[in-house]
Amino acid sequence: METTSEEQNEHGVIFWVAVIVGAIVAGVGVRGVFHQFPLGQQRYVFFRYLVVSDLTHDIIVAPVLFIVGWIASRISPPWLRAPLAFGGFASAISLAIAWYPLQGTASYKQNPTFQPLNYTTAILTVFAVAWGIAAVWAALRFRGRNTLPAKAAR
Amino acid sequence: MSLDQMWKKLPRSLRSGPPKVGPFKPGAFSSRLHDERTAAILGIALGVSFLVCFITGLYSHQIQHPASWFKAFPRPAGLYRLSQGLHVTTGIATLPLLIAKLWTVFPKLFAWPPFRSVGQAVERIFLLPLIGGALFLLYSGINNINGRYPYEKFSFPEAHHWAAWITIGSLIVHIGAKVTTTRTALRRGYGARTSTVAGGVASPTSAMSRRGFMGVAFGTSALVTVFTAGQTFEPLRKLALLAPRRPDTGPQGFPVNASAVRAKVARADLATFRVRVHGRGIATKEFTYDELKAIGLHSAELPIACVEGWSSSQHWTGVSLRDLLDHVGAPHDADVTVRSLQKRSNYGQSRMNSSIARDRDTLLAMQVNGEELHIDHGFPIRLMAPNTPGVRQTKWIKEVEVH
């Protein structure tokens, strides 16, 4: 288990200085958590959120992205893949941001200025824009598809 | 005993690692999209966005929960509006970039052995708070702007603040580990032989070009920014389709955070309404609404800037707090607290230092855009001060205390 010269470069003096500085900064945060949340249960729940966030990405989000991407690459020609990815990814991220307004999570506030729009119409409009951009991009790539192998190295 | 010696002492089954199937199969992630240059570019973008969010977030936190060394200042009047708008907008723009970066480096999760040196072990340990912290910050931030607080055991402001310190500390370690790799990858450019993040050589073809991939990531970031920035940047307000607020929507043309119904504040009867002014070096006095007006009215264009990122500029008219303080003979170096009719609330009062209290445009506002205040906007009187978060622009004022 030898370290390569590249690994030595990554973990040289700069790295260890960064570890000291980073540990101090992160330590401010940990100290703040312990000071602000005096109960063990509070601290446990807080740190659990960090771990669960990590695991949610690694076990659910990333595999789903890989599977969807793999399927899309199998069923679409090369010139269509990036525009298709944009339409899908932009729609998914927009939906994630609009999810709570769509659920009306602020209705308990009895405040009609909070989440005031018809968010179903709003998100459909955003989808239309995203897929419209994807369609224009696809059209441009379709026109230039014969030159794609030369550009594919980038 | 060195790491190498310790490794050799492990059972063969552990040294050989998990079965070479699926993501553990050598070459499972050979796409060019997992290359170091792509990871470096996305990493730089994320470093900038997290730094912007951290600095603006620290500023917001200090204004609301000032440390002893921090002295809030009134000018520029729109600084908090800019800062908090930037904080929320940048945070939202970061989400697609973070997902793209994590996708690019995902193969490293399956690398075996998981570390080859003490340095690499330290680097990988700090990845957990970095990634977990970053995702928690975005999750809690999006929850906050939508009025959602699902945390049973702790409150959002503190959790978000301390998670930011933990994340930024971990980011510093990560930057320290990757600065050399990043520099090399950017200098090398995209060539025929490109290293993947998992250490192999990338396949010369992949499902998508790297430019296409960058277009997807940065294009999505730009799209969601355009559709949310309008809650703070008024020229884009009609495009704020994904934002939970519109700066032009609400009574008298702008939003409300705490409504009078929710704050359990009834409309005051001006005939019996009084503002009590008392404190250090002054005699206690009660002013009627008309007596306050008689001191002299002043107008100012000031933004309401919410910690949730939305903001809206309006034309306010009222008694300048400075004029009131001079009228009662308050000391020039006095801090001032204003208190609300609202009972049992963390935001029922607001303390400001002398530089803010004595700014010409700090008002006990009675009108907005030429109209009497709507009850949801604080009728009969609310505080409006420059460079102050909306949560501290106390509504339904009944008392002014001089310290």
Side-chain angles (χ1 to χ4, degrees):
Chain A
M1 200 173 114
E2 304 285 338
T3 55
T4 65
S5 61
E6 195 169 299
E7 283 152 3
Q8 285 165 353
N9 282 341
E10 277 198 348
H11 305 111
V13 171
I14 294 175
F15 171 71
W16 289 108
V17 169
V19 168
I20 292 168
V21 174
I24 291 170
V25 172
V28 168
V30 172
R31 183 176 170 273
V33 169
F34 274 71
H35 176 71
Q36 204 88 57
F37 307 138
L39 301 176
Q41 180 70 355
Q42 290 173 311
R43 298 167 190 170
Y44 165 72
V45 171
F46 172 83
F47 287 112
R48 190 181 67 187
Y49 261 100
L50 268 61
V51 172
V52 167
S53 299
D54 217 333
L55 291 176
T56 302
H57 169 268
D58 290 346
I59 295 172
I60 300 174
V61 175
V64 165
L65 283 176
F66 271 96
I67 291 166
V68 170
W70 184 84
I71 293 171
S73 68
R74 292 287 176 286
I75 63 175
S76 59
W79 57 268
L80 188 58
R81 286 171 193 161
L84 197 62
F86 173 77
F89 188 57
S91 298
I93 294 292
S94 300
L95 185 61
I97 292 168
W99 187 252
Y100 296 132
L102 280 166
Q103 309 301 310
T105 54
S107 60
Y108 73 94
K109 285 182 177 258
Q110 301 164 288
N111 180 353
T113 74
F114 217 131
Q115 295 170 351
L117 303 178
N118 178 330
Y119 285 95
T120 305
T121 307
I123 193 64
L124 289 174
T125 306
V126 174
F127 286 171
V129 171
W131 286 102
I133 293 171
V136 169
W137 190 2
L140 290 170
R141 285 176 66 88
F142 179 77
R143 280 180 62 183
R145 68 192 185 281
N146 293 328
T147 64
L148 275 175
K151 290 183 184 171
R154 295 196 205 112
Chain B
M1 191 188 296
S2 73
L3 210 61
D4 204 33
Q5 288 169 319
M6 283 194 290
W7 180 253
K8 283 178 179 153
K9 283 194 176 303
L10 289 173
R12 191 188 192 87
S13 56
L14 260 178
R15 275 187 283 134
S16 62
K20 302 286 182 273
V21 292
F24 296 100
K25 196 168 134 187
F29 300 99
S30 60
S31 165
R32 289 174 304 155
L33 301 183
H34 298 295
D35 77 339
E36 287 174 343
R37 183 178 163 87
T38 304
I41 292 171
L42 286 166
I44 290 169
L46 284 167
V48 170
S49 69
F50 271 94
L51 183 66
V52 167
C53 283
F54 186 60
I55 291 171
T56 52
L58 277 185
Y59 178 60
S60 177
H61 189 82
Q62 282 303 322
I63 278 203
Q64 294 178 72
H65 312 280
S68 54
W69 53 266
F70 181 79
K71 190 171 160 64
F73 44 90
R75 301 287 163 178
L79 180 61
Y80 184 80
R81 174 189 204 179
L82 172 66
S83 169
Q84 199 58 13
L86 199 57
H87 182 85
V88 173
T89 304
T90 305
I92 289 172
T94 298
L95 178 60
L97 299 180
L98 181 62
I99 300 295
K101 169 71 189 277
L102 291 175
W103 186 88
T104 304
V105 301
F106 193 60
K108 293 197 98 166
L109 186 64
F110 306 98
W112 195 264
F115 53 86
R116 294 174 181 273
S117 65
V118 172
Q120 200 173 27
V122 170
E123 179 197 339
R124 296 211 73 176
I125 286 167
F126 272 94
L127 283 178
L128 179 60
L130 173 61
I131 297 169
L135 290 168
F136 174 72
L137 287 170
L138 294 178
Y139 168 74
S140 59
I142 290 175
N143 273 330
N144 178 51
I145 65 174
N146 284 288
R148 191 173 174 270
Y149 304 99
Y151 331 102
E152 289 166 7
K153 301 289 179 190
F154 52 77
S155 71
F156 161 76
E158 290 84 9
H160 195 77
H161 179 69
W162 298 122
W165 280 92
I166 292 170
T167 305
I168 291 297
S170 307
L171 180 60
I172 291 170
V173 174
H174 188 65
I175 290 171
K178 294 303 174 192
V179 64
T180 308
T181 308
T182 299
R183 214 162 30 214
T184 307
L186 292 177
R187 234 184 264 139
R188 193 189 300 148
Y190 289 133
R193 284 178 65 84
T194 309
S195 304
T196 68
V197 295
V201 176
S203 160
T205 59
S206 72
M208 195 191 312
S209 70
R210 280 171 284 209
R211 280 208 182 136
F213 181 74
M214 292 296 197
V216 172
F218 285 96
T220 300
S221 183
L223 184 96
V224 297
T225 301
V226 164
F227 285 122
T228 50
Q231 68 171 0
T232 193
F233 186 52
E234 289 195 61
L236 291 181
R237 64 184 179 277
K238 297 286 184 212
L239 297 178
L241 299 179
L242 299 179
R245 303 297 205 125
R246 288 278 288 268
D248 57 355
T249 300
Q252 295 176 312
F254 58 103
V256 169
N257 225 355
S259 64
V261 164
R262 189 146 175 86
K264 297 187 174 63
V265 173
R267 186 177 175 85
D269 178 0
L270 289 182
T272 55
F273 173 74
R274 300 288 183 270
V275 174
R276 184 164 163 262
V277 182
H278 65 104
R280 177 169 69 100
I282 63 172
T284 299
K285 188 170 162 47
E286 289 193 346
F287 290 84
T288 65
Y289 189 78
D290 289 331
E291 284 171 344
L292 283 172
K293 267 184 160 177
I295 293 173
L297 296 180
H298 175 72
S299 293
E301 194 88 13
L302 290 170
I304 286 250
C306 183
V307 69
E308 292 152 12
W310 65 266
S311 59
S312 182
S313 256
Q314 307 297 333
H315 189 79
W316 304 89
T317 302
V319 180
S320 174
L321 184 57
R322 181 169 83 183
D323 292 344
L324 174 63
L325 294 173
D326 286 341
H327 185 82
V328 299
H332 276 247
D333 63 345
D335 288 4
V336 174
T337 295
V338 295
R339 290 193 179 87
S340 172
L341 291 165
Q342 183 182 6
K343 296 187 177 71
R344 285 188 291 276
S345 165
N346 291 336
Y347 304 109
Q349 66 178 44
S350 174
R351 179 167 176 149
M352 65 203 105
N353 61 40
S354 54
S355 66
I356 293 183
R358 286 204 163 262
D359 187 275
R360 187 78 181 104
D361 290 345
T362 296
L363 304 175
L364 296 180
M366 298 162 154
Q367 294 173 2
V368 63
N369 301 324
E371 295 174 358
E372 189 177 76
L373 290 179
H374 189 279
I375 187 168
D376 284 341
H377 285 313
F379 175 85
I381 294 174
R382 74 170 298 158
L383 176 69
M384 275 307 300
N387 194 28
T388 298
V391 76
R392 294 175 68 83
Q393 309 272 34
T394 306
K395 298 195 281 197
W396 311 294
I397 288 176
K398 64 163 187 182
E399 182 183 335
V400 176
E401 181 180 354
V402 174
H403 302 281

